[in-house]
Short mmCIF file of all heavy atoms in Angstrom, two decimals:
data_model
loop_
_atom_site.label_atom_id
_atom_site.label_comp_id
_atom_site.label_asym_id
_atom_site.label_seq_id
_atom_site.Cartn_x
_atom_site.Cartn_y
_atom_site.Cartn_z
N ALA J 203 67.17 69.84 120.03
CA ALA J 203 67.25 70.18 118.60
C ALA J 203 66.70 71.58 118.36
O ALA J 203 65.76 72.07 118.95
CB ALA J 203 66.33 69.27 117.85
N LEU J 204 67.42 72.25 117.56
CA LEU J 204 67.22 73.73 117.26
C LEU J 204 66.31 73.84 116.04
O LEU J 204 66.36 73.01 115.17
CB LEU J 204 68.60 74.35 116.93
CG LEU J 204 68.70 75.83 116.67
CD1 LEU J 204 68.37 76.59 117.90
CD2 LEU J 204 70.07 76.23 116.21
N LEU J 205 65.44 74.82 116.12
CA LEU J 205 64.62 75.23 114.96
C LEU J 205 65.16 76.51 114.34
O LEU J 205 65.32 77.53 114.98
CB LEU J 205 63.17 75.51 115.52
CG LEU J 205 62.33 74.35 115.87
CD1 LEU J 205 61.10 74.77 116.69
CD2 LEU J 205 61.89 73.55 114.65
N CYS J 206 65.29 76.42 112.98
CA CYS J 206 65.82 77.65 112.28
C CYS J 206 64.88 77.87 111.04
O CYS J 206 64.32 76.96 110.49
CB CYS J 206 67.18 77.41 111.78
SG CYS J 206 68.54 77.18 112.98
N GLU J 207 64.82 79.14 110.68
CA GLU J 207 64.09 79.41 109.40
C GLU J 207 65.04 78.94 108.25
O GLU J 207 66.25 79.11 108.36
CB GLU J 207 63.83 80.87 109.29
CG GLU J 207 62.96 81.26 108.17
CD GLU J 207 62.48 82.74 108.04
OE1 GLU J 207 62.72 83.40 109.02
OE2 GLU J 207 62.02 83.09 106.91
N VAL J 208 64.37 78.36 107.24
CA VAL J 208 65.17 77.87 106.08
C VAL J 208 64.57 78.38 104.84
O VAL J 208 63.46 78.25 104.47
CB VAL J 208 65.20 76.37 106.04
CG1 VAL J 208 65.91 75.79 104.82
CG2 VAL J 208 65.80 75.80 107.29
N CYS J 209 65.36 79.17 104.04
CA CYS J 209 64.99 79.67 102.75
C CYS J 209 66.17 80.18 101.99
O CYS J 209 67.24 80.47 102.61
CB CYS J 209 63.97 80.88 102.91
SG CYS J 209 64.56 82.29 103.88
N CYS J 216 64.16 86.75 102.23
CA CYS J 216 63.52 85.47 101.89
C CYS J 216 62.75 85.07 103.22
O CYS J 216 63.17 85.42 104.32
CB CYS J 216 64.53 84.42 101.42
SG CYS J 216 65.61 83.72 102.71
N GLY J 218 60.83 81.39 104.92
CA GLY J 218 60.52 80.01 104.75
C GLY J 218 59.98 79.36 106.06
O GLY J 218 59.94 80.13 107.10
N PRO J 219 59.84 78.03 106.08
CA PRO J 219 59.33 77.52 107.38
C PRO J 219 60.35 77.25 108.38
O PRO J 219 61.62 77.26 108.00
CB PRO J 219 58.83 76.13 106.83
CG PRO J 219 59.64 75.86 105.65
CD PRO J 219 59.90 77.26 105.03
N LEU J 220 60.02 77.14 109.62
CA LEU J 220 61.02 76.75 110.62
C LEU J 220 61.27 75.29 110.46
O LEU J 220 60.29 74.59 110.38
CB LEU J 220 60.44 77.02 111.99
CG LEU J 220 60.40 78.52 112.54
CD1 LEU J 220 59.73 78.54 113.89
CD2 LEU J 220 61.77 79.11 112.54
N GLN J 221 62.46 74.92 110.36
CA GLN J 221 62.75 73.46 110.28
C GLN J 221 63.70 73.03 111.49
O GLN J 221 64.54 73.83 112.04
CB GLN J 221 63.49 73.14 108.96
CG GLN J 221 62.50 73.28 107.78
CD GLN J 221 63.08 72.90 106.57
OE1 GLN J 221 64.15 72.41 106.42
NE2 GLN J 221 62.39 73.27 105.44
N LEU J 222 63.52 71.74 111.82
CA LEU J 222 64.30 71.18 112.89
C LEU J 222 65.69 70.91 112.31
O LEU J 222 65.95 70.32 111.35
CB LEU J 222 63.69 69.82 113.26
CG LEU J 222 63.87 69.35 114.73
CD1 LEU J 222 63.47 70.36 115.71
CD2 LEU J 222 63.00 68.01 114.80
N CYS J 223 66.77 71.36 113.09
CA CYS J 223 68.09 71.10 112.64
C CYS J 223 68.55 69.77 112.98
O CYS J 223 68.16 69.16 113.99
CB CYS J 223 69.05 72.14 113.24
SG CYS J 223 68.59 73.86 112.81
N GLU J 227 73.96 70.57 113.91
CA GLU J 227 73.77 71.88 113.51
C GLU J 227 73.16 72.79 114.65
O GLU J 227 71.96 72.93 114.75
CB GLU J 227 72.86 71.95 112.30
CG GLU J 227 73.33 71.16 111.11
CD GLU J 227 72.33 71.09 109.91
OE1 GLU J 227 71.07 71.01 110.21
OE2 GLU J 227 72.76 71.01 108.80
N GLY J 228 74.00 73.27 115.46
CA GLY J 228 73.63 73.95 116.69
C GLY J 228 73.51 75.43 116.46
O GLY J 228 73.31 76.24 117.41
N THR J 229 73.59 75.99 115.17
CA THR J 229 73.38 77.45 115.02
C THR J 229 72.51 77.67 113.85
O THR J 229 72.27 76.84 112.95
CB THR J 229 74.77 78.19 114.76
OG1 THR J 229 75.58 77.32 113.87
CG2 THR J 229 75.52 78.42 116.00
N CYS J 230 71.77 78.88 113.88
CA CYS J 230 70.95 79.31 112.78
C CYS J 230 71.76 80.47 112.11
O CYS J 230 72.44 81.25 112.73
CB CYS J 230 69.68 79.98 113.22
SG CYS J 230 68.56 78.79 114.03
N VAL J 231 71.73 80.48 110.71
CA VAL J 231 72.54 81.52 110.07
C VAL J 231 71.59 82.26 109.12
O VAL J 231 70.61 81.84 108.69
CB VAL J 231 73.67 80.88 109.23
CG1 VAL J 231 73.19 80.02 108.11
CG2 VAL J 231 74.62 81.96 108.64
N LYS J 232 71.99 83.59 108.96
CA LYS J 232 71.20 84.47 108.10
C LYS J 232 72.25 85.22 107.36
O LYS J 232 73.16 85.75 107.92
CB LYS J 232 70.28 85.42 109.10
CG LYS J 232 69.54 86.44 108.23
CD LYS J 232 68.50 87.02 109.26
CE LYS J 232 69.07 87.79 110.36
NZ LYS J 232 67.98 88.67 111.03
N LEU J 233 72.09 85.25 105.96
CA LEU J 233 73.17 85.80 105.12
C LEU J 233 72.65 86.68 104.06
O LEU J 233 71.69 86.25 103.43
CB LEU J 233 74.06 84.65 104.61
CG LEU J 233 75.06 84.99 103.50
CD1 LEU J 233 76.41 84.40 103.85
CD2 LEU J 233 74.61 84.45 102.25
N ALA J 248 69.99 84.04 102.20
CA ALA J 248 69.83 82.69 102.61
C ALA J 248 69.77 82.59 104.12
O ALA J 248 70.39 83.41 104.88
CB ALA J 248 71.00 81.83 102.06
N LYS J 249 68.94 81.62 104.54
CA LYS J 249 68.79 81.36 106.03
C LYS J 249 68.68 79.83 106.21
O LYS J 249 68.11 79.17 105.30
CB LYS J 249 67.44 81.88 106.61
CG LYS J 249 67.40 83.44 106.44
CD LYS J 249 65.97 83.89 106.88
CE LYS J 249 65.75 85.43 106.61
NZ LYS J 249 64.41 85.84 107.00
N SER J 250 69.40 79.31 107.16
CA SER J 250 69.47 77.86 107.34
C SER J 250 70.02 77.46 108.70
O SER J 250 70.49 78.41 109.49
CB SER J 250 70.25 77.10 106.25
OG SER J 250 71.61 77.29 106.44
N CYS J 251 70.02 76.20 109.07
CA CYS J 251 70.80 75.66 110.15
C CYS J 251 72.23 75.61 109.64
O CYS J 251 72.42 75.45 108.45
CB CYS J 251 70.26 74.23 110.48
SG CYS J 251 68.47 74.04 110.86
N LEU J 252 73.18 75.57 110.56
CA LEU J 252 74.52 75.40 110.25
C LEU J 252 75.36 74.90 111.40
O LEU J 252 74.94 75.12 112.58
CB LEU J 252 75.09 76.74 109.80
CG LEU J 252 76.44 76.74 108.97
CD1 LEU J 252 76.24 76.01 107.60
CD2 LEU J 252 76.93 78.15 108.65
N PRO J 254 78.07 74.91 114.12
CA PRO J 254 78.64 76.08 114.79
C PRO J 254 80.10 76.36 114.35
O PRO J 254 80.48 77.48 114.28
CB PRO J 254 78.64 75.70 116.28
CG PRO J 254 77.56 74.63 116.38
CD PRO J 254 77.48 73.91 115.08
N CYS J 257 79.94 78.57 111.46
CA CYS J 257 79.13 79.81 111.63
C CYS J 257 79.92 80.94 112.34
O CYS J 257 80.40 80.71 113.38
CB CYS J 257 77.74 79.52 112.27
SG CYS J 257 76.48 80.46 111.65
N THR J 259 79.51 85.30 112.90
CA THR J 259 78.92 86.53 112.61
C THR J 259 79.96 87.52 112.09
O THR J 259 81.05 87.72 112.70
CB THR J 259 78.24 87.20 113.88
OG1 THR J 259 77.18 86.32 114.23
CG2 THR J 259 77.73 88.52 113.60
N ARG J 276 76.65 88.48 107.56
CA ARG J 276 76.19 87.22 108.05
C ARG J 276 76.11 87.13 109.56
O ARG J 276 76.93 87.65 110.25
CB ARG J 276 77.22 86.14 107.62
CG ARG J 276 76.92 84.74 108.03
CD ARG J 276 77.64 83.77 107.14
NE ARG J 276 78.98 83.59 107.69
CZ ARG J 276 79.52 82.27 107.85
NH1 ARG J 276 78.74 81.29 107.62
NH2 ARG J 276 80.68 82.24 108.30
N THR J 277 74.92 86.71 110.07
CA THR J 277 74.74 86.64 111.44
C THR J 277 74.48 85.18 111.81
O THR J 277 73.80 84.40 111.20
CB THR J 277 73.74 87.54 112.03
OG1 THR J 277 72.44 87.13 111.57
CG2 THR J 277 74.00 89.02 111.66
N CYS J 278 74.97 84.82 113.03
CA CYS J 278 74.82 83.43 113.56
C CYS J 278 74.20 83.58 114.87
O CYS J 278 74.54 84.56 115.65
CB CYS J 278 76.11 82.71 113.71
SG CYS J 278 76.91 82.45 112.11
N CYS J 279 73.25 82.71 115.31
CA CYS J 279 72.64 82.77 116.60
C CYS J 279 72.23 81.30 116.99
O CYS J 279 72.23 80.44 116.10
CB CYS J 279 71.53 83.66 116.63
SG CYS J 279 70.27 83.39 115.29
N ASP J 280 71.74 81.17 118.18
CA ASP J 280 71.43 79.71 118.53
C ASP J 280 70.24 79.50 119.36
O ASP J 280 70.23 78.66 120.26
CB ASP J 280 72.75 79.13 119.30
CG ASP J 280 73.11 79.94 120.47
OD1 ASP J 280 72.30 80.87 120.91
OD2 ASP J 280 74.12 79.63 121.20
N THR J 281 69.16 80.34 119.15
CA THR J 281 67.87 80.05 119.76
C THR J 281 66.78 79.87 118.70
O THR J 281 67.00 80.31 117.51
CB THR J 281 67.51 81.21 120.67
OG1 THR J 281 67.38 82.44 119.85
CG2 THR J 281 68.40 81.42 121.88
N ASP J 282 65.77 79.14 119.00
CA ASP J 282 64.75 78.81 118.04
C ASP J 282 64.25 79.98 117.25
O ASP J 282 63.87 80.96 117.79
CB ASP J 282 63.59 78.08 118.70
CG ASP J 282 63.92 76.65 119.19
OD1 ASP J 282 64.97 76.10 118.71
OD2 ASP J 282 63.10 76.07 120.01
N GLY J 283 64.31 79.86 115.87
CA GLY J 283 63.81 80.93 115.01
C GLY J 283 64.58 82.23 115.10
O GLY J 283 64.07 83.30 114.52
N CYS J 284 65.73 82.27 115.73
CA CYS J 284 66.55 83.58 115.82
C CYS J 284 67.03 84.10 114.51
O CYS J 284 67.43 85.27 114.46
CB CYS J 284 67.66 83.29 116.85
SG CYS J 284 68.90 82.08 116.22
N ASN J 285 66.96 83.32 113.37
CA ASN J 285 67.50 83.88 112.06
C ASN J 285 66.28 84.39 111.20
O ASN J 285 66.49 84.60 110.06
CB ASN J 285 68.33 82.81 111.39
CG ASN J 285 67.46 81.61 110.91
OD1 ASN J 285 66.40 81.37 111.52
ND2 ASN J 285 67.90 80.91 109.95
N SER J 286 65.18 84.57 111.87
CA SER J 286 64.09 85.20 111.04
C SER J 286 64.34 86.69 110.93
O SER J 286 65.20 87.25 111.58
CB SER J 286 62.80 84.97 111.78
OG SER J 286 62.68 85.60 112.96
N GLY J 287 63.49 87.31 110.08
CA GLY J 287 63.62 88.81 109.93
C GLY J 287 64.65 89.04 108.84
O GLY J 287 65.18 88.24 108.20
N SER J 288 64.86 90.37 108.61
CA SER J 288 65.70 90.82 107.57
C SER J 288 67.18 91.02 107.98
O SER J 288 67.48 90.94 109.20
CB SER J 288 65.22 92.19 107.07
OG SER J 288 65.30 93.10 108.03
N ILE J 289 68.04 90.99 107.05
CA ILE J 289 69.41 91.31 107.23
C ILE J 289 69.89 92.43 106.27
O ILE J 289 69.52 92.41 105.09
CB ILE J 289 70.26 90.05 107.18
CG1 ILE J 289 71.73 90.31 107.36
CG2 ILE J 289 70.11 89.25 105.81
CD1 ILE J 289 72.53 89.15 107.93
#
Side-chain angles (χ1 to χ4, degrees):
L204 183 67
L205 286 165
C206 300
E207 186 175 350
V208 177
C209 60
C216 73
L220 285 180
Q221 288 184 14
L222 209 53
C223 300
E227 299 172 327
T229 42
C230 297
V231 65
K232 177 162 69 169
L233 167 132
K249 298 176 188 177
S250 75
C251 303
L252 197 65
C257 216
T259 293
R276 180 158 84 128
T277 65
C278 297
C279 54
D280 59 7
T281 56
D282 287 346
C284 62
N285 66 336
S286 67
S288 63
I289 178 153

